[in-house]
Amino acid sequence: MRKYFLLSAVALMISGTVNAATNVNGNVEIQAKIEHVNQITCSPLDFGTIYIKSNNALSTISLDGSNYTTTGDVVTVQNAFGGYCTDIDKGGTTTFNLIDIETEGGNVYLTGARSSEETGDQEAWVSDIVITDTGDVNGKLWIPENFPAATLEGSFTFVGAYE
């Protein structure tokens, strides 16, 4: 019996592998490129006054200059105008490339009101933001269902380059 006990103990010791530590050494290079930007002025992306049915369904207003299209329960829109950024349109001699827009997942969430807690307590938001070669700023406003009457505000920062 002792012989089997010793064999079992030796077998357990052999089967339990010892992990030897492996030491490593590495080098990581760090790089950065600094670019200067010129501040430009932009007028608001103004969705105007939106008349919407009470207890509205999810609704949108897509704004392209002074032209707009709607979905959902929007009845009418008054005084809506796309934004405009000065100094982007260089008389058609350059191309403006949008490098980055600081948004939350591509959306700009607006402050001023939220839908009721019963419907998920959502904020209104703007998506599909476009800044054109001529400096026009357009986008799409999303209004959650059962949204209260409110004045909404928000903003975003962008970086672009002329070519």
Side-chain angles (χ1 to χ4, degrees):
M1 184 74 144
R2 226 161 80 178
K3 180 166 87 174
Y4 292 114
F5 174 74
L6 286 173
L7 283 173
S8 297
V10 169
L12 284 173
M13 288 174 58
I14 292 171
S15 67
T17 59
V18 176
N19 291 330
T22 302
N23 298 319
V24 296
N25 183 22
N27 184 41
V28 176
E29 292 184 20
I30 298 173
Q31 298 177 348
K33 181 178 180 181
I34 307 297
E35 293 281 348
H36 290 233
V37 296
N38 296 322
Q39 189 71 30
I40 61 174
T41 303
C42 298
S43 65
L45 175 56
D46 189 349
F47 287 91
T49 302
I50 301 159
Y51 294 91
I52 194 165
K53 295 177 184 176
S54 295
N55 301 316
N56 65 288
L58 176 66
S59 302
T60 66
I61 299 99
S62 296
L63 191 54
D64 183 0
S66 60
N67 300 313
Y68 66 87
T69 57
T70 66
T71 66
D73 288 337
V74 176
V75 176
T76 191
V77 177
Q78 292 183 343
N79 300 318
F81 298 98
Y84 177 75
C85 295
T86 59
D87 297 326
I88 287 181
D89 182 9
K90 298 289 186 180
T93 59
T94 61
T95 300
F96 176 74
N97 291 315
L98 189 61
I99 296 171
D100 185 36
I101 293 183
E102 291 185 18
T103 62
E104 295 179 43
N107 300 323
V108 176
Y109 291 91
L110 306 178
T111 60
R114 299 173 79 84
S115 62
S116 68
E117 290 183 25
E118 298 153 3
T119 60
D121 195 28
Q122 294 183 332
E123 298 169 298
W125 71 95
V126 177
S127 69
D128 304 329
I129 298 168
V130 175
I131 302 174
T132 68
D133 286 350
T134 58
D136 295 327
V137 182
N138 301 307
K140 183 176 188 176
L141 173 64
W142 294 78
I143 303 169
E145 63 184 8
N146 299 318
F147 205 75
T151 299
L152 305 173
E153 296 179 336
S155 65
F156 65 92
T157 302
F158 70 91
V159 176
Y162 301 112
E163 288 185 9

